[in-house]
Amino acid sequence: MKAAEKRMSELTREINEHNYRYYSEGNPVIGDTEYDRLVKELKDLEEKFPLLRRPDSPTQRVGGQPIDGFVTVRHLRPMLSLDNGYSREEVCDFDQRVRKLLEVAQVEYTVELKIDGVALSLIYQSGRFLRAITRGDGIQGDDVTENVRTISAIPLQIDYTDPIEVRGEAYLSHDEFARINHQRESEGEPVFVNPRNATAGSLKQLDSKETARRKILFFAWAGFLTEDLKEHRLVLDFLRKHRFPVNPQSRVFKGIDAVMEYCNSWEEQRHTLPYDTDGMVIKVNHLAWQDVVGFTSKNPRWALAYKFPAEQATTRVKDIVVQVGRLGTITPIAELEPVFLSGSTVSRASLHNQDEIKRLGVKIGDRVFIEKAGEIIPQVIRVIAELRTGEETDFVMPENCPACASRLHQAEGEVAVRCLNIRCPAQVKERVLHFAGRDAMDIEGLGTEMVTALVDKGLISDFGDLYFLTYEKVIELDRMAKKSTENILAAIAKSKERDLVNFLFGLGIRHAGTRAAEILAENFFTLEELEQAPAEKLITLREIGPVLAESIVDFFQDAETRKVIGKLKIAGVNMVQKEKKASTRKQVFAGKSVVITGILEGMARSEAERLVKESGGRVSGSVSQKTDYLVVGKDPGSKLDKARGFGVKILTEEEFLEFVRGG
Ligand code: IVH
């Protein structure tokens, strides 16, 4: 026990150190595998000795119970926004105002990158992270503590015991933004327009487990502390010393010329950064001078946001065509005259849906401004109406699918127009590509070109047919030789051994992405069990909501699905989870419904939930007549009274542990 405690505290320290090096210094000293190994060792120990888990344990960052909504909290001091300047002239005006108020000839400024993310206020007391609040209207914001707790870049514990408020920007890297959108696309969810929206969306998740899955980053740009530091630069140094990530590009300059020169140097360079910046923030460096200069009702007079002109290009919309997605969604795409923008040539931009076309007022033939969201995704920003010739034509959503000619359908209250023909060749191609994808069956060599050829030649009409392709058929296709034919057939055959989780994802059930596939595979182990599960049973799984549950049931009842699955069964495709993690716990909660309430002292709530599940129980969020047990921590609230009313068995945290351990 003593040895375990020592090792756990060592591991906690070591992992937190690696987090710091990775997130704050951008300078990791170990690889991912080694890092994962340390985390796993700590997790295993915490599982064995839940009472020894430390409050600053990095394993806590997995998220807890979903909540119904956010509580509004008042800021300790208003969270103002910045006045903007767009030109050298406006920056000089700002400097002049400041100098006049201070009655000095020259002012020292700190210049920082303006990170394009979401502002957060973080409160620490007695060295512990206590609360995180969004900016909101500047006076009060939303309490997003549970979500922010999952952000590894933000320390949970600091070695400074006075109360302190740290403000800064939560943001996403371009890579993470692309990853999230890619995943959302695979789940048939709408994608985020830019990294800032994706960050805001991630912080506003009602389920902190979802936030935990997104790698949100953070840069601190202000601190309010009891220490009497004289300069903003020293505050940043202080934050850095206490292990908050602070952007390394801040500099101090005397006089506005040097400030302007530094700002200009970033105008091009910013495109090489792995995250979005929309300008520079210029701040009076001496805090006493900031006090003298003061505030207007909306902004500090001692700071200015110098905004970069957004990197834009103009081009012409040659045509607006429509694309058919895997789930039949019809997406209008603007075909553009090729133009070079932020590092690559752009010739297409998604217009998302008809509402967006209406909002932009874009017509075929229009000249438009385009921009890249997150430096990656080209978007039409606005139409240059002054350059219209009168030759422009309106886009009309076709009434029939461009791929299969079946009538398109728009459901009441939905923006999306869909092709409902399950056999539509465009949908079939997309479904086969999804099935063959890396997270699914991982069939190497089965790309767009190959799939298009197979569908167009009538060799396959769904992904079930892949397993019945023969050498003679495939070699007939254009540009196929002996070797490439053998390779593709071998890759298809090999995919039969993929695990259930990959298979489930590959099926392409609407709303079910990789995460849902994982949960289903963990809980069902075989496809047959899942096929027979009613929606009521699916909803009891954590993270599976009613919409997804309904979608799963519909999917398996569908005649077309049954046919395809039939083919896959005949082909001998694996449909059981091979790596079943057998629970070694006694099933003391078998078939029971357990609710957890109040603050648990010896373990995170997620840990307790896992213990219940491993002991055969189901965790539910609210007490009802059907509840069997209520586990109570500190400050239990109304659930305890309700449970007593229903005669539910009550377990203290200790009793609960005894129960799952000794039971
Ligand atoms: S200082 C009194 N510094 O930009 C306001 N803000 O438009 C002090 N931002 O709300 C803000 N990077 O969310 C400051 N280095 C930086 C920043 C920064 C991004 C955001 C922040 C603020 C907004 C103002």
Side-chain angles (χ1 to χ4, degrees), residues 166-438:
V166 176
R167 289 181 177 179
E169 208 78 2
Y171 67 98
L172 286 171
S173 71
H174 295 146
D175 283 353
E176 181 64 1
F177 167 65
R179 189 195 64 80
I180 293 170
N181 267 354
H182 183 73
Q183 171 152 9
R184 287 175 72 85
E185 227 162 17
S186 81
E187 292 170 8
E189 305 283 338
V191 296
F192 289 112
V193 173
N194 57 39
R196 179 167 24 83
N197 287 4
T199 308
S202 306
L203 286 171
K204 283 301 201 58
Q205 288 291 325
L206 293 173
D207 182 356
S208 52
K209 288 208 171 61
E210 187 51 43
T211 313
R213 280 194 283 279
R214 306 189 186 169
K215 200 157 146 199
I216 301 176
L217 300 172
F218 182 79
F219 278 131
W221 41 249
F224 302 91
L225 32 137
T226 45
E227 220 93 331
D228 186 24
L229 298 177
K230 304 261 185 271
E231 299 172 38
H232 176 65
R233 168 190 37 183
L234 299 178
V235 173
L236 295 183
D237 287 345
F238 175 93
L239 293 174
R240 211 174 264 130
K241 189 174 122 215
H242 287 90
R243 318 208 126 192
F244 289 93
V246 175
N247 191 280
Q249 310 299 352
S250 64
R251 301 280 184 279
V252 178
F253 297 102
K254 283 200 173 71
I256 208 66
D257 289 340
V259 167
M260 210 50 228
E261 197 179 314
Y262 190 58
C263 288
N264 288 338
S265 78
W266 277 102
E267 184 157 346
E268 280 305 314
Q269 213 186 322
R270 71 184 163 125
H271 298 299
T272 64
L273 292 169
Y275 46 83
D276 274 2
T277 53
D278 54 343
M280 307 293 286
V281 183
I282 307 166
K283 301 174 184 173
V284 170
N285 184 37
H286 284 273
L287 301 181
W289 285 18
Q290 286 188 2
D291 286 343
V292 175
V293 178
F295 297 85
T296 68
S297 62
K298 276 192 264 149
N299 311 309
R301 277 203 195 87
W302 46 261
L304 183 77
Y306 171 67
K307 292 285 206 73
F308 293 126
E311 185 117 330
Q312 290 185 331
T314 68
T315 181
R316 207 177 62 88
V317 177
K318 289 195 298 189
D319 199 0
I320 299 177
V321 298
V322 296
Q323 217 170 41
V324 190
R326 168 168 63 88
L327 301 160
T329 311
I330 306 290
T331 309
I333 310 277
E335 291 198 328
L336 307 167
E337 269 169 12
V339 58
F340 194 76
L341 173 67
S342 311
S344 71
T345 302
V346 175
S347 52
R348 285 158 77 82
S350 170
L351 293 169
H352 308 297
N353 52 51
Q354 280 166 295
D355 284 12
E356 177 69 1
I357 293 181
K358 218 184 275 163
R359 190 185 70 80
L360 289 164
V362 60
K363 298 177 184 231
I364 297 162
D366 265 338
R367 285 209 76 82
V368 290
F369 274 108
I370 60 166
E371 231 176 74
K372 273 192 187 166
E375 302 270 328
I376 312 168
I377 304 156
Q379 283 194 317
V380 175
I381 296 301
R382 77 178 171 88
V383 171
I384 315 174
E386 307 83 61
L387 295 182
R388 281 200 173 140
T389 59
E391 306 270 292
E392 296 76 14
T393 52
D394 281 323
F395 164 75
V396 188
M397 184 57 96
E399 291 190 351
N400 297 86
C401 174
C404 71
S406 73
R407 217 175 157 71
L408 295 179
H409 178 83
Q410 183 169 24
E412 183 93 17
E414 264 191 45
V415 272
V417 173
R418 289 177 199 284
C419 161
L420 300 181
N421 172 18
I422 189 92
R423 306 184 143 269
C424 167
Q427 284 186 49
V428 170
K429 287 172 196 168
E430 293 298 324
R431 282 201 296 272
V432 174
L433 279 167
H434 176 82
F435 183 78
R438 188 135 8 115

